[in-house]
Amino acid sequence: MRILLTNDDGVHAPGLFALKEAIAEVAEIGIVAPDRPRSASGHSITLHKPLRVSSVRLADGSPAYSCTGTPSDCVALALRGVLPFTPDLVISGINDGPNLGWDLTYSGTVSAAMEACIIGVPSIAISAVRMNDYPFVKDEPELPFAERKGTDFGAAARFAAHLAVVLHEHRLPPFNLLNVNVPAIPTGELRGVKLTKQGIRKYVGELETRTDTSGRTYYWMGGEKPEDVLEEGTDVSALHARQISVTPIHMDLTAYPIMDALHQWTHIEAFGG
């Protein structure tokens, strides 16, 4: 089995290193990842400037490639010639933080997996979630930033290796990927694995207007932490219950349930005659 690893946190991110350590036990690996953090980059592709790829060494001296582009660029370059082999699977992660609900529309981690899916290679996006950093876990107080420890990627890395073996035996259908969120807690504290649907995660955005030292206006986007809807069977709900969520995602974004209703809006199809 041959697997391409990538991420959106950068080639030297600890989550990618943890993933590399686990996947190397079950497969031959190649790594192509951004040269710096690219979180929330979405599914952007670089068309207006050249891309550069450099050979780098990870913390243990193992080889990897860094790319000046986005996570989606990394996958496109890897699958179209940068890697010396064609992978059987692409794994994007381990993201430091959740990719739940509507996060998928922003996530560079998930978008890298989507790019592989579009090209025709099965893929997984995997994220590790610190349980006391997110408001849907009501019984664990949020820690001040200075008191937070590094994310524990152990459970996510081991589950990624397990899932890679499963997908080597049972190939995903075309244009499908798996989005996985793993509580960043010891494996013994996990409460199982849940197959889920995409939930709802609302962001309460704010726009701050500021002035720089030259008197020019600039803006800083931010806001409160997201509001999660704890609907049974969703990825958000599974994380709340300390379960690993595995959500199948299809590249077909068509809203089939409203097709019949739209057909009744006759003035749409009546345009031009």
Side-chain angles (χ1 to χ4, degrees), residues 147-265:
E147 297 180 18
R148 296 179 190 177
K149 298 179 180 179
T151 300
D152 181 355
F153 295 103
R158 289 188 290 274
F159 186 70
H162 168 74
L163 201 53
V165 173
V166 171
L167 293 188
H168 191 57
E169 299 174 356
H170 306 281
R171 189 178 177 90
L172 283 170
F175 311 120
N176 288 267
L177 64 98
L178 297 181
N179 182 47
V180 180
N181 285 271
V182 182
I185 56 179
T187 303
E189 297 180 17
L190 290 170
R191 297 176 182 170
V193 180
K194 184 81 169 179
L195 294 176
T196 59
K197 63 181 179 180
Q198 186 179 357
I200 295 176
R201 160 169 270 219
K202 298 179 180 179
Y203 286 89
V204 182
E206 292 180 357
L207 182 65
E208 293 186 19
T209 304
R210 302 180 182 179
T211 304
D212 65 19
T213 55
S214 300
R216 294 173 299 184
T217 300
Y218 69 97
Y219 301 95
W220 194 269
M221 294 181 65
E224 297 296 323
K225 288 197 171 183
E227 298 175 355
D228 294 313
V229 178
L230 294 180
E231 179 187 356
E232 181 62 30
T234 63
D235 48 8
V236 174
S237 180
L239 261 292
H240 177 76
R242 293 175 176 76
Q243 296 173 308
I244 296 173
S245 71
V246 178
T247 308
I249 302 296
H250 196 288
M251 294 305 299
D252 183 355
L253 303 181
T254 306
Y256 289 102
I258 70 168
M259 289 289 285
D260 289 341
L262 291 177
H263 280 304
Q264 304 304 313
W265 301 0

Side-chain angles (χ1 to χ4, degrees), residues 30-46:
I31 299 173
V32 183
D35 60 356
R36 58 190 183 279
R38 292 281 193 171
S39 295
S41 58
H43 202 152
S44 58
I45 293 289
T46 302

